Amino acid sequence: MREKADSDLVRRQNRRLVLDALRQHGPLARIELGRQTGLSPASITSISAQLIADGIVQEVEDQHHQQVLPMRRGRPLTQLDINPKSAHVIAVKISIDGVEIALADSRGSMINRSVSRIATYDAEPATFGKAVAAEIGKQLAKARVPARKVARIGVAVQGVADSQAGTIVWSPAFRERNIPVSAVLQAELGIPCSIANDANMIAEGLIGTDRERYGGTAAVVFMGYGVGMGLILNGQVYHGPTGAAAEFGHMNHLPGGPLCRCGRRGCVEAYAADYSILRWASGNADTLPPSFTAIPEDQMQALEAAARNGEPQASGAYAKAGEALGYGLARMLALLSPSRIVLAGPGTRAMDLIEPSLHRALEDGIVDELRRNLEIEVVPIHTDMIIKGTIEGALRLLDREVFAYGGLGKRHLTLEEIA
Ligand SMILES: [Zn+2]
C-alpha cells in the first residue's frame, strides 16, 4: 500500500511539473519539456501520454516551424500544449456596487466578461451570494457553457476575506460583516469556489506573468480605492491560515490618526487610499469620516493636476501618502526582507508626487544594510490585473486539485484526497 501511495504521489508531482512548464512556456516540444522540468525522456513520454488521454494536454503542430520551412518534408514537429477545452474557470471581482465576472478556458484565455451593478453597501448577507450566482448563471448561458464544464470559481474582494469560511469578513463595499459567498455559489451552481483578497490576486497574476522575477519573496502593494498587499513568500502567495495575512493597508501608521474605513484610526490606508488623499487635500482629514463610495477617476486626476501645479494642500496630501507608505514598508522590510516591492494600481498614476516622501520615509525607517538588495518597481496600470490574477489563481488550484489526478470528471475529491 505504501509503495502505491508513494508512486501516486510522484505521478501527481510530475503531472504538476509538466502542467506548470506548459503554463509558463507552452507550447513546448517533448524534448524542451524535459529540459524545463528536469524529468527524463521516459517520464515525459509517460506523463504526456496520460495527460493527453485525460484530455488535459493536446498535441499541436509547431506553427512557427511550418512557416519558416514550408518545403520541409517528413513529419511536422509536434509540440504539447494545455487543451483549452479541458475545463473552464470563472473569476469574480467584487468591489463597491459592482460585480465583474469573467469566464476563461483552461489556458486562461478569456471567453466573455460582464460587469453587473449589484448594490453592495446595503446588500443583505442572506441574499448577496444568490444574486452573484444568478449573474454567473446568466453569463454561462450566454456562452453556452454548462456549469459541469466549469472546474472552479475564484472570487476576489476588496477587504478581508476568510478563505476557510468562504466569507467576506469585512469590506468597505459592504455595511454588514461576514457575508457568505463561497458556500452559496457552490450550492447554487455546483462548482467549487474559493475567495481571497484582491491584492493577493494581483500577486498571483504577477507570478503567472514572470516566475523568475516574482518567484522569490516579494510584496505587491495595491494603491487606489484602498491600500492592499499581496505577499509572495518563496514563490507562493501567502494567505495565512484564514486568508487575512498581509493587511498592509490596515497596519497602524500613527495612533489616533484619521478614521479609516475599517473603523480604526491612523491606518496606512487612512493616509494613502484615494479617499484619504482627497480628504487630506480638503484640509479636514481629522474630522471628516471616510468616504464609502467609489471616487471617480477624473476627480483624482484633477487633484493630481492641482498637486503638480504646486497647490500646497494637494501636494501636501500626496506627501503624507508617501510618508505613510514609506514607514509602513520599512516595518515590513525589517520583518520579512523581501527582495522586491511592486507598486501597482491606479494610485501609482501619482507616483511622481508620492515618491520623494516615500523614499525619505524608507531611508529614515530602516538601516541602509537592510534595504541594500531591494528593488522597487511600479507596474503599468491596467484595471484587468485583479481579474487576470484571479483566473491564474483558479488555474493553479485546478492543476493542483484536479489535473494532478485526472480530467475534470475526477473533480469531486474528498478533502483527504486533495491533501
Ligand atoms: Zn483601517
Side-chain angles (χ1 to χ4, degrees):
M1 276 311 277
R2 181 64 204 264
E3 272 173 32
K4 169 86 170 69
D6 284 351
S7 70
D8 280 353
L9 185 68
V10 169
R11 188 180 71 96
R12 287 203 295 275
Q13 277 168 347
N14 289 347
R15 283 170 72 105
R16 278 179 62 186
L17 278 177
V18 167
L19 290 168
D20 212 37
L22 289 177
R23 289 214 183 278
Q24 275 187 74
H25 310 287
L28 291 173
R30 283 178 176 78
I31 188 160
E32 189 54 34
L33 201 48
R35 257 199 293 270
Q36 291 286 350
T37 57
L39 294 172
S40 69
S43 295
I44 290 291
T45 304
S46 135
I47 296 287
S48 56
Q50 288 167 17
L51 288 168
I52 291 169
D54 290 335
I56 298 164
V57 163
Q58 62 182 10
E59 284 187 315
V60 291
E61 278 182 23
D62 185 345
Q63 296 298 328
H64 179 70
H65 204 97
Q66 293 294 299
Q67 278 161 17
V68 175
L69 296 167
M71 302 304 285
R72 186 175 176 270
R73 286 165 194 271
R75 270 177 66 187
L77 194 67
T78 56
Q79 292 183 312
L80 298 175
D81 203 358
I82 306 274
N83 175 6
K85 294 201 179 85
S86 55
H88 294 78
V89 294
I90 288 172
V92 179
K93 180 181 135 192
I94 300 173
S95 41
I96 296 174
D97 290 341
V99 175
E100 188 170 349
I101 298 164
L103 175 69
D105 66 27
S106 52
R107 223 158 40 193
S109 305
M110 230 171 298
I111 295 166
N112 68 15
R113 67 195 296 177
S114 69
V115 181
S116 319
R117 307 300 300 171
I118 298 181
T120 54
Y121 196 62
D122 292 316
E124 286 289 328
T127 56
F128 177 74
K130 285 191 177 175
V132 176
E135 290 299 322
I136 294 174
K138 273 190 231 164
Q139 192 143 337
L140 287 175
K142 212 191 295 171
R144 294 172 187 272
V145 172
R148 70 185 154 75
K149 297 252 180 191
V150 182
R152 273 221 151 254
I153 300 173
V155 180
V157 67
Q158 192 190 341
V160 181
D162 186 329
S163 54
Q164 294 294 308
T167 56
I168 302 169
V169 178
W170 167 80
S171 165
F174 295 85
R175 187 198 303 275
E176 301 282 343
R177 293 190 177 221
N178 300 310
I179 295 159
V181 177
S182 299
V184 184
L185 295 187
Q186 211 156 318
E188 294 284 314
L189 301 160
I191 305 167
C193 177
S194 52
I195 187 164
N197 168 268
D198 54 3
N200 287 351
M201 293 297 103
I202 296 179
E204 286 283 5
L206 286 173
I207 296 173
T209 56
D210 194 337
R211 188 69 60 102
E212 249 95 278
R213 200 174 175 87
Y214 305 107
T217 297
V220 184
V221 180
F222 175 86
M223 298 155 60
Y225 45 76
V227 174
M229 180 176 279
L231 193 60
I232 303 168
L233 297 181
N234 303 322
Q236 300 236 358
V237 177
Y238 180 70
H239 294 267
T242 63
E247 274 302 334
F248 177 74
H250 301 287
M251 230 166 68
N252 189 269
H253 172 53
L254 281 180
L259 201 57
C260 178
R261 285 199 293 217
C262 71
R264 301 287 147 199
R265 287 190 170 275
C267 299
V268 171
E269 183 177 299
Y271 294 81
D274 56 9
Y275 71 91
S276 319
I277 297 171
L278 202 60
R279 192 170 53 172
W280 278 109
S282 76
N284 298 315
D286 290 324
T287 52
L288 279 178
S291 161
F292 281 92
T293 52
I295 311 278
E297 197 172 294
D298 53 0
Q299 202 176 342
M300 292 311 293
Q301 279 169 334
L303 188 66
E304 289 156 24
R308 288 192 186 104
N309 282 332
E311 204 279 293
Q313 293 265 63
S315 56
Y318 283 102
K320 279 200 182 298
E323 192 178 74
L325 289 167
Y327 280 114
L329 290 174
R331 291 177 182 131
M332 192 268 306
L333 280 174
L335 271 180
L336 298 165
S337 183
S339 51
R340 187 175 293 278
I341 290 174
V342 183
L343 303 170
T348 57
R349 213 176 33 220
M351 215 52 230
D352 57 323
L353 301 164
I354 292 170
E355 216 165 12
S357 59
L358 188 153
H359 279 286
R360 264 198 308 277
L362 204 51
E363 281 163 28
D364 186 44
I366 187 164
V367 291
D368 181 39
E369 288 81 353
L370 291 180
R371 55 183 158 79
R372 199 168 275 162
N373 297 317
L374 176 70
E375 274 192 62
I376 300 181
E377 67 176 60
V378 179
V379 298
I381 305 156
H382 51 90
T383 50
D384 278 359
M385 284 175 74
I386 294 168
I387 280 283
K388 287 203 174 128
T390 308
I391 291 171
E392 289 280 344
L395 291 174
R396 265 195 279 282
L397 278 174
L398 173 66
D399 288 349
R400 197 169 76 206
E401 296 182 355
V402 183
F403 285 174
Y405 293 80
L408 194 52
K410 287 199 177 182
R411 77 179 160 94
H412 294 290
L413 298 164
T414 63
L415 281 175
E416 287 73 27
E417 283 175 306
I418 291 165

